[in-house]
Amino acid sequence: MADKQAWILTITCPDTVGIVAAVSGFLSQHDCFITEAAQFGDPLSSRFFMRIVFGPGAMTPPKAEVEKLFTSIADRFQMIWKLHDANRKARVVILVSKFGHCLNDLLHRYHTGQLPVEIPAVISNHQDMRSIVEWHGIPYHYLAVDKHDKAAQEARVLEVIDRADADLVVLARYMQILSTDMCIRLQGRAINIHHSFLPSFKGAKPYHQAHSRGVKIIGATAHYVTADLDEGPIIEQGVERVDHTHTPDDLVAIGRDIENVVLARAVRWHTEQRVLLNGSKTVVFR
Amino acid sequence: MADKQAWILTITCPDTVGIVAAVSGFLSQHDCFITEAAQFGDPLSSRFFMRIVFGPGAMTPPKAEVEKLFTSIADRFQMIWKLHDANRKARVVILVSKFGHCLNDLLHRYHTGQLPVEIPAVISNHQDMRSIVEWHGIPYHYLAVDKHDKAAQEARVLEVIDRADADLVVLARYMQILSTDMCIRLQGRAINIHHSFLPSFKGAKPYHQAHSRGVKIIGATAHYVTADLDEGPIIEQGVERVDHTHTPDDLVAIGRDIENVVLARAVRWHTEQRVLLNGSKTVVFR
Amino acid sequence: MADKQAWILTITCPDTVGIVAAVSGFLSQHDCFITEAAQFGDPLSSRFFMRIVFGPGAMTPPKAEVEKLFTSIADRFQMIWKLHDANRKARVVILVSKFGHCLNDLLHRYHTGQLPVEIPAVISNHQDMRSIVEWHGIPYHYLAVDKHDKAAQEARVLEVIDRADADLVVLARYMQILSTDMCIRLQGRAINIHHSFLPSFKGAKPYHQAHSRGVKIIGATAHYVTADLDEGPIIEQGVERVDHTHTPDDLVAIGRDIENVVLARAVRWHTEQRVLLNGSKTVVFR
Amino acid sequence: MADKQAWILTITCPDTVGIVAAVSGFLSQHDCFITEAAQFGDPLSSRFFMRIVFGPGAMTPPKAEVEKLFTSIADRFQMIWKLHDANRKARVVILVSKFGHCLNDLLHRYHTGQLPVEIPAVISNHQDMRSIVEWHGIPYHYLAVDKHDKAAQEARVLEVIDRADADLVVLARYMQILSTDMCIRLQGRAINIHHSFLPSFKGAKPYHQAHSRGVKIIGATAHYVTADLDEGPIIEQGVERVDHTHTPDDLVAIGRDIENVVLARAVRWHTEQRVLLNGSKTVVFR
């Protein structure tokens, strides 16, 4: 896909007769070849969701022209839609505190080309991760939190995010609660990894909560950030068995491996335009 | 779905531009409302696979007429296709020997309506399962195997299958190797459950093989029956962790739970037309 | 094990030096051969847990004598302990309402000898399961609930349990909330299957709660019954992946398979004396 | 454990009456406090396996003296045994070729203290991983393979391993087949990660084999290296679901996450003396 042009069309609209026909007819008419397509009609919300990957043919107009032409179909079906260039790498800014496992995992995937993104900046309220981040040639922004003026730090974080022209912000075990304002500003483009199998064990020290409840399976959850702490739409979850011999520290260690994989999947799916919002839930075209 | 008409269209054909447009355009034009759709273009075989569930609208012609009208599209794209009535229950004949767990599991799902099929016959080379089968009101055909004339028994098995007008034959731990002839006659409509994670441990006593190899995970595999023993297209697999404390008998017991779930899924997916053949592999639109 | 004598010794006591030495020395001294042993010292509660399976040798005194002799060790270490005859089948009374999948699963395991227990009675507030229970030759006690006098029905349920001399009561999707009194009377010998991954989704309709939260994995939990609803010590949990296409009814269907396996494991482990209580948690020597 | 003395005793011997009593009596007599203990009697091989973690008390003699005293018990029961200092970090030499994911994962665990080992050397037949290895302050040995004289490179590899005084050699996707001689020299102290769910798909390109067989679950296997390629005793396995949409490259990417976790577990378990050999199988006291 790296060499050939490929576009991704994502659509959300009220469900009705003829959507697929209209969209696929449009693509066929403009000489586009569909390589992947997925759709879902939610019987509860009566919303329709679609993701189509296609390549332009000899007769296909340029992207801007295709977008212009598609508008009449989009309007007819009241679509929320976007045409993405599949070869353009998403710009991902990562926020981290002292636990570096998710950051390290994302950097390794980035470094080896497994995660085809740009990482224009890593932001942290600690200095711990500077060295490994700079080894990867990525600017490291140390923005300490002043307990008496959290807003000031947040403003500087947002400034870095904006200047980096970020498509996505990843909270890779960033141990600060974002303000409602910031959550709203990042809505739909910030992913957090919570170290529990939500909705169990919201809030602080979930592995310790899990240990004291005596659960036999622990998990991690990647979700979009919303003003409601740990209540955002879930993108992906993972689990692992544990037993009575595991201490809270053991759960923390086992959990790290789950967090890495779950967060990496969520980031990849988001940047591949596989995740569409359906109210407080997600549609994930894996 | 039980009350309303619903049809399932399955398609396999060479991949090319315009298939989705043609099919969805046809459905839209005949006032059909798509409730589920899934498609897959295999880049290796260049084959295209599609499954669409739709309901007829006020202007939709009767099924036979729709089929006739669809022929021109089907011919244009060289489709192997079928239009199924989603409300018609598949007729499933089950073969079993002495291990009754898969049979019992299927009967329970059938009895409670979880598995919406008809079971016109259960066939066995033993008497052990007669009582529970007849409790469910299903005819039990005891067809003993004469070691010196296996063909005679097979002929009678096929006779029962034919008279039952079976859409699907399920080998629910039927411990007889079918003849090549019989495999060919049942091609694409017979599912076997093999008690190993294929292709590991083909043949006899797979749990004992697994035990002696010291694997840490065991599994089961549901696949279509082919003349090549344990080599048929895989529909579904399941696994479970084991450890050094488990005896071969423990593995057999753990395996039973995997077999039940894996076989039940394969049968449901097949009867819901979710499984399409792609050479020696399957496309499963879960 | 069915032919040879085998005993299971379970011990809970404050952790200290010399317990294993004292116990294993005692067994060795009385010519007992250990076939399985597991132990756990909880660093948080400073409690020690042990389960030993052993067979008597030629010089071993009878069980009652062994118990008497062991008392001095037990007293020295303040042990809560019991010596079980491994060949004696536990007497299990099952309570069920209208959903029969867990009941059917347990009955099948019982019928085929996979679950070596006696089932002297099945109790239900509905008639639905009478036929299959009686097919297994087990007395079915239909005890309807009078909304205005729940206590009366509970009294009769307890009467059946007592007359059946039950070692264990299994709530196999019994849709009645037990009174605090009854919970206390059954403490440590009643297992419930809750159809969620506790502590998520306590209370009613957990699969619907899970659906509306948009989780990507669902689960089931087997736990001891306590007066605190859905808060009892967890014995076992299981999970399965789901996605946006699943309706609440799909989750219910997927959940059934998890419930069956999780409950069956909990019952087996309990009857094999593998589950020891550690405050509000369990130690499970799998 | 880092501050306090802790020893790990591992034992393998013919199973018989009195082993546990003798060992625990010995420890008790010398004022040792057991914090973990696990044992297993294999009914097939009649071998007994034991791992005990304990701390010395005020009256416990020094380690060398304990070892000397224990000899009489060891001799009586024909034990293969070792007393390990739990606080001594194992010396692990890692071999790698071009795929760096397992190496990176191990280095990160090492760097953050999750994997308490020393890594005195990384050896590779390529230069690709030099930079990240040296960032971690670990010597990198580039030992190219001359196709016409593989033995020469092997000799130099062994030299590095010997000079590093390695307790364990980890083949972290080292794409060279070791000679029989080398396998024998490293017996019981070299772990390989094979990128398939063994015994399925031995040999080269297992993910491509898995793709062409159409399996629905893929896996990875960590095992001890033996002269029989991919036949060594299995330590740990992991799996992940896949489906028809995954290309061989997708399987490779999904497999990486499994390989990381499976190999890291095997290395940790080995260095914590949790893995005992039982013929061609392992006993893993997790």
Side-chain angles (χ1 to χ4, degrees):
Chain A
M1 222 191 286
D3 309 313
K4 281 203 288 184
Q5 274 198 65
W7 298 334
I8 303 171
L9 177 62
T10 54
I11 292 168
T12 309
C13 65
D15 204 353
T16 184
V17 170
I19 305 171
V20 180
V23 173
S24 56
F26 173 88
L27 293 178
S28 170
Q29 176 192 339
H30 293 100
D31 196 26
C32 300
F33 184 77
I34 299 175
T35 53
E36 255 188 277
Q39 63 192 78
F40 171 61
D42 182 351
L44 295 185
S45 68
S46 296
R47 300 285 295 171
F48 178 83
F49 304 84
M50 195 173 199
R51 175 185 184 268
I52 305 188
V53 186
F54 60 93
M59 302 297 156
T60 310
K63 181 160 176 282
E65 181 68 14
V66 170
E67 284 169 328
K68 207 168 138 191
L69 290 164
F70 190 68
T71 309
S72 66
I73 289 173
D75 288 351
R76 171 147 54 107
F77 291 101
Q78 300 170 261
M79 289 176 177
I80 299 164
W81 66 286
K82 198 163 179 198
L83 186 63
H84 311 260
D85 178 351
N87 294 325
R88 179 184 166 275
K89 290 184 177 179
R91 297 175 67 79
V92 178
V93 169
I94 302 175
L95 275 70
V96 69
S97 292
K98 290 194 158 195
F99 297 114
H101 53 283
C102 284
L103 173 69
N104 176 73
D105 183 80
L106 292 172
L107 290 178
H108 180 72
R109 290 173 202 268
Y110 157 76
H111 180 69
T112 56
Q114 280 179 74
L115 190 64
V117 299
E118 301 293 342
I119 304 182
V122 170
I123 302 171
S124 181
N125 54 331
H126 294 281
Q127 288 284 19
D128 307 54
M129 300 300 141
R130 177 181 293 281
S131 164
I132 187 70
V133 169
E134 293 184 342
W135 183 86
H136 281 279
I138 298 168
Y140 189 82
H141 300 262
Y142 167 55
L143 300 175
V145 175
D146 175 353
K147 281 190 179 177
H148 306 293
D149 188 4
K150 292 198 169 190
Q153 193 252 12
E154 267 203 357
R156 293 174 63 199
V157 169
L158 276 172
E159 215 179 286
V160 174
I161 291 170
D162 285 349
R163 253 186 296 136
D165 197 18
D167 299 297
L168 178 66
V169 172
V170 175
L171 308 187
R173 299 298 306 274
Y174 181 63
M175 310 304 275
Q176 295 291 319
I177 295 172
L178 307 190
S179 70
T180 299
D181 260 19
M182 186 156 177
C183 290
I184 289 167
R185 283 199 51 177
L186 297 178
Q187 197 152 355
R189 57 185 185 112
I191 294 175
N192 182 47
I193 179 76
H194 184 73
H195 39 318
S196 90
F197 185 65
L198 287 175
S200 288
F201 312 128
K202 296 180 207 175
K205 290 195 163 278
Y207 292 124
H208 290 75
Q209 293 182 52
H211 184 266
S212 89
R213 181 64 186 92
V215 293
K216 301 300 185 187
I217 294 176
I218 59 167
T221 305
H223 63 91
Y224 284 114
V225 173
T226 59
D228 245 346
L229 191 65
D230 301 334
E231 289 285 358
I234 293 171
I235 303 167
E236 173 64 340
Q237 301 188 291
V239 290
E240 195 67 53
R241 287 193 80 91
V242 295
D243 64 35
H244 60 270
T245 64
H246 292 109
T247 63
D249 283 351
D250 291 335
L251 301 192
V252 168
I254 293 167
R256 277 191 198 113
D257 290 337
I258 317 173
E259 294 164 37
N260 287 349
V261 170
V262 165
L263 181 58
R265 278 188 198 146
V267 170
R268 189 161 57 76
W269 292 342
H270 176 94
T271 58
E272 293 177 353
Q273 319 298 339
R274 294 181 183 278
V275 191
L276 301 181
L277 278 172
N278 182 16
S280 62
K281 300 192 286 185
T282 60
V283 170
V284 180
F285 292 124
R286 299 176 65 176
Chain B
M1 218 189 288
D3 309 312
K4 282 203 288 184
Q5 275 197 64
W7 297 336
I8 303 171
L9 177 63
T10 53
I11 293 169
T12 309
C13 65
D15 204 354
T16 184
V17 171
I19 306 170
V20 180
V23 174
S24 56
F26 173 88
L27 294 178
S28 171
Q29 176 191 338
H30 292 100
D31 196 27
C32 299
F33 184 77
I34 298 174
T35 53
E36 256 188 274
Q39 64 193 79
F40 171 61
D42 182 350
L44 296 185
S45 67
S46 297
R47 298 287 293 173
F48 177 83
F49 304 84
M50 195 172 199
R51 176 185 183 268
I52 305 188
V53 186
F54 61 93
M59 301 298 155
T60 310
K63 183 162 175 280
E65 181 67 15
V66 170
E67 283 169 328
K68 206 170 140 191
L69 291 165
F70 189 70
T71 309
S72 67
I73 289 174
D75 287 351
R76 172 148 53 106
F77 292 100
Q78 300 170 263
M79 290 176 176
I80 300 164
W81 66 284
K82 197 161 181 200
L83 187 62
H84 312 260
D85 179 350
N87 294 324
R88 181 185 166 277
K89 291 183 177 179
R91 298 176 67 79
V92 179
V93 169
I94 302 175
L95 275 69
V96 68
S97 292
K98 290 194 160 196
F99 297 113
H101 53 283
C102 285
L103 173 70
N104 176 72
D105 183 81
L106 292 172
L107 290 178
H108 181 71
R109 290 172 203 268
Y110 157 76
H111 181 69
T112 57
Q114 280 179 75
L115 190 64
V117 300
E118 302 292 343
I119 304 182
V122 171
I123 302 170
S124 181
N125 53 332
H126 294 280
Q127 287 284 18
D128 306 55
M129 300 299 141
R130 176 181 293 282
S131 164
I132 188 68
V133 168
E134 294 185 341
W135 183 88
H136 282 279
I138 298 168
Y140 189 83
H141 300 262
Y142 167 56
L143 301 174
V145 176
D146 176 352
K147 281 188 179 181
H148 306 293
D149 188 3
K150 291 197 172 193
Q153 192 253 13
E154 267 203 358
R156 293 175 62 199
V157 169
L158 276 172
E159 213 179 287
V160 175
I161 291 169
D162 285 350
R163 254 188 294 135
D165 196 16
D167 299 296
L168 178 67
V169 172
V170 175
L171 308 187
R173 302 295 308 273
Y174 181 64
M175 309 306 275
Q176 295 292 319
I177 295 172
L178 306 190
S179 70
T180 299
D181 260 18
M182 185 156 178
C183 290
I184 289 166
R185 284 200 50 179
L186 297 178
Q187 196 152 356
R189 58 184 184 113
I191 294 176
N192 182 47
I193 180 77
H194 185 74
H195 39 318
S196 90
F197 185 69
L198 287 175
S200 289
F201 312 129
K202 295 180 208 174
K205 289 196 164 275
Y207 292 124
H208 291 74
Q209 292 183 51
H211 185 266
S212 89
R213 181 62 186 91
V215 294
K216 302 300 184 185
I217 295 176
I218 59 166
T221 305
H223 63 91
Y224 284 114
V225 173
T226 60
D228 244 347
L229 190 65
D230 301 334
E231 289 285 359
I234 294 171
I235 303 169
E236 172 64 341
Q237 299 187 292
V239 290
E240 195 67 53
R241 287 193 78 89
V242 296
D243 64 36
H244 60 269
T245 65
H246 292 109
T247 63
D249 282 351
D250 291 333
L251 301 192
V252 167
I254 292 166
R256 277 190 198 114
D257 290 337
I258 317 174
E259 293 164 36
N260 286 349
V261 171
V262 164
L263 181 58
R265 279 189 197 144
V267 170
R268 190 162 56 77
W269 293 342
H270 177 93
T271 58
E272 293 177 353
Q273 320 297 338
R274 295 180 182 278
V275 191
L276 301 182
L277 278 172
N278 182 16
S280 63
K281 300 193 287 184
T282 61
V283 170
V284 181
F285 292 123
R286 298 175 64 176
Chain C
M1 217 189 290
D3 308 313
K4 281 202 289 184
Q5 274 197 67
W7 297 335
I8 304 171
L9 178 63
T10 53
I11 293 168
T12 309
C13 65
D15 203 356
T16 184
V17 170
I19 306 170
V20 180
V23 174
S24 55
F26 173 89
L27 294 179
S28 170
Q29 175 191 339
H30 293 99
D31 196 27
C32 300
F33 184 77
I34 299 175
T35 53
E36 255 188 275
Q39 63 193 81
F40 171 61
D42 182 350
L44 296 185
S45 68
S46 297
R47 300 285 295 172
F48 177 83
F49 304 85
M50 195 171 199
R51 175 184 183 269
I52 305 188
V53 186
F54 61 93
M59 301 298 157
T60 310
K63 182 162 175 281
E65 181 68 14
V66 171
E67 284 170 328
K68 206 169 140 190
L69 291 164
F70 189 68
T71 309
S72 66
I73 289 174
D75 288 350
R76 170 147 54 105
F77 291 101
Q78 300 170 262
M79 290 175 176
I80 301 163
W81 66 285
K82 197 162 180 199
L83 187 62
H84 312 261
D85 178 350
N87 294 325
R88 181 185 165 275
K89 291 184 178 180
R91 296 177 66 78
V92 178
V93 169
I94 302 175
L95 275 68
V96 68
S97 292
K98 291 195 158 193
F99 296 114
H101 53 282
C102 284
L103 173 69
N104 176 73
D105 183 80
L106 291 172
L107 290 178
H108 180 73
R109 290 172 202 269
Y110 157 77
H111 181 69
T112 56
Q114 280 179 74
L115 190 65
V117 300
E118 301 293 341
I119 303 182
V122 170
I123 302 171
S124 181
N125 54 331
H126 294 282
Q127 288 283 19
D128 306 54
M129 299 300 140
R130 177 181 294 279
S131 165
I132 188 68
V133 169
E134 294 185 342
W135 183 87
H136 282 279
I138 298 167
Y140 189 82
H141 301 261
Y142 166 55
L143 300 175
V145 175
D146 175 351
K147 282 190 180 178
H148 305 293
D149 189 3
K150 291 197 172 194
Q153 193 252 13
E154 267 202 358
R156 294 175 62 201
V157 170
L158 276 171
E159 215 180 287
V160 174
I161 291 169
D162 285 350
R163 254 187 295 135
D165 196 18
D167 298 296
L168 177 66
V169 172
V170 176
L171 308 187
R173 299 299 305 274
Y174 181 62
M175 310 305 275
Q176 295 291 319
I177 294 172
L178 306 190
S179 70
T180 298
D181 261 19
M182 186 157 178
C183 291
I184 289 167
R185 284 200 50 178
L186 298 178
Q187 198 152 352
R189 59 183 184 113
I191 294 175
N192 182 47
I193 179 76
H194 184 74
H195 39 318
S196 90
F197 185 71
L198 287 175
S200 288
F201 312 128
K202 296 179 206 174
K205 290 196 163 276
Y207 291 124
H208 291 75
Q209 293 182 52
H211 184 266
S212 89
R213 181 64 186 91
V215 294
K216 302 300 186 186
I217 294 176
I218 59 167
T221 304
H223 62 91
Y224 284 115
V225 173
T226 60
D228 244 346
L229 189 66
D230 299 335
E231 289 286 357
I234 293 171
I235 302 168
E236 172 64 339
Q237 300 187 291
V239 290
E240 195 66 53
R241 288 192 79 90
V242 295
D243 64 36
H244 60 269
T245 64
H246 293 108
T247 63
D249 283 352
D250 291 334
L251 301 191
V252 168
I254 292 167
R256 276 190 199 114
D257 290 337
I258 317 174
E259 294 164 36
N260 286 351
V261 171
V262 165
L263 181 58
R265 280 189 196 145
V267 170
R268 189 162 56 78
W269 293 341
H270 176 93
T271 57
E272 291 177 355
Q273 319 297 340
R274 296 181 182 277
V275 190
L276 301 181
L277 277 171
N278 182 17
S280 62
K281 300 192 286 183
T282 61
V283 170
V284 181
F285 292 123
R286 299 175 65 178
Chain D
M1 215 184 301
D3 308 313
K4 282 203 287 185
Q5 275 197 63
W7 298 333
I8 304 171
L9 178 63
T10 53
I11 293 168
T12 308
C13 65
D15 203 355
T16 184
V17 170
I19 306 170
V20 180
V23 174
S24 55
F26 174 88
L27 294 179
S28 170
Q29 177 192 338
H30 292 99
D31 197 26
C32 300
F33 184 77
I34 299 175
T35 54
E36 256 187 274
Q39 64 192 78
F40 171 62
D42 182 351
L44 295 186
S45 67
S46 296
R47 300 287 293 172
F48 177 83
F49 305 84
M50 195 172 199
R51 176 186 183 267
I52 305 189
V53 186
F54 60 94
M59 302 299 157
T60 311
K63 182 160 175 282
E65 180 69 14
V66 170
E67 283 169 328
K68 208 168 138 190
L69 290 164
F70 189 71
T71 309
S72 67
I73 289 174
D75 288 351
R76 170 148 54 105
F77 292 100
Q78 300 171 261
M79 290 177 177
I80 300 163
W81 67 285
K82 196 162 181 199
L83 187 62
H84 312 261
D85 178 351
N87 294 324
R88 180 185 167 277
K89 290 184 178 180
R91 298 177 65 79
V92 178
V93 169
I94 303 175
L95 275 67
V96 69
S97 292
K98 291 196 156 194
F99 296 114
H101 53 282
C102 284
L103 172 69
N104 176 73
D105 183 81
L106 291 172
L107 290 179
H108 180 73
R109 290 173 202 269
Y110 157 76
H111 180 69
T112 56
Q114 280 179 74
L115 190 64
V117 300
E118 301 292 341
I119 304 181
V122 170
I123 302 170
S124 181
N125 54 332
H126 295 280
Q127 287 283 19
D128 306 56
M129 300 298 141
R130 176 181 293 281
S131 165
I132 189 68
V133 169
E134 293 185 343
W135 183 88
H136 281 279
I138 298 168
Y140 189 83
H141 302 261
Y142 167 56
L143 301 174
V145 175
D146 175 352
K147 282 189 179 180
H148 305 293
D149 188 3
K150 291 197 172 193
Q153 193 252 14
E154 269 203 358
R156 294 174 63 199
V157 169
L158 275 172
E159 213 179 288
V160 175
I161 291 169
D162 285 349
R163 254 186 295 135
D165 196 17
D167 299 298
L168 178 66
V169 172
V170 176
L171 308 187
R173 300 298 306 275
Y174 181 64
M175 309 305 276
Q176 295 291 320
I177 294 172
L178 307 190
S179 70
T180 298
D181 260 17
M182 186 157 177
C183 290
I184 288 165
R185 284 199 50 178
L186 297 178
Q187 197 153 354
R189 57 184 184 113
I191 295 175
N192 181 47
I193 179 76
H194 184 74
H195 40 317
S196 90
F197 185 68
L198 287 175
S200 288
F201 312 128
K202 296 180 207 174
K205 290 196 163 276
Y207 292 124
H208 290 75
Q209 293 182 52
H211 185 267
S212 90
R213 181 63 186 90
V215 293
K216 301 300 185 187
I217 293 175
I218 59 166
T221 304
H223 62 91
Y224 284 114
V225 173
T226 60
D228 243 345
L229 189 65
D230 302 332
E231 289 286 358
I234 293 172
I235 303 169
E236 172 65 339
Q237 301 187 290
V239 290
E240 195 67 53
R241 288 192 79 90
V242 295
D243 65 36
H244 61 270
T245 65
H246 293 108
T247 63
D249 283 351
D250 292 333
L251 301 192
V252 168
I254 292 167
R256 277 190 198 114
D257 289 337
I258 317 174
E259 293 164 36
N260 286 350
V261 171
V262 165
L263 180 58
R265 279 189 198 145
V267 170
R268 189 162 57 77
W269 293 342
H270 177 93
T271 58
E272 292 177 354
Q273 320 297 339
R274 295 180 182 279
V275 190
L276 301 181
L277 278 172
N278 182 16
S280 62
K281 300 192 286 183
T282 61
V283 170
V284 181
F285 292 124
R286 299 176 65 177

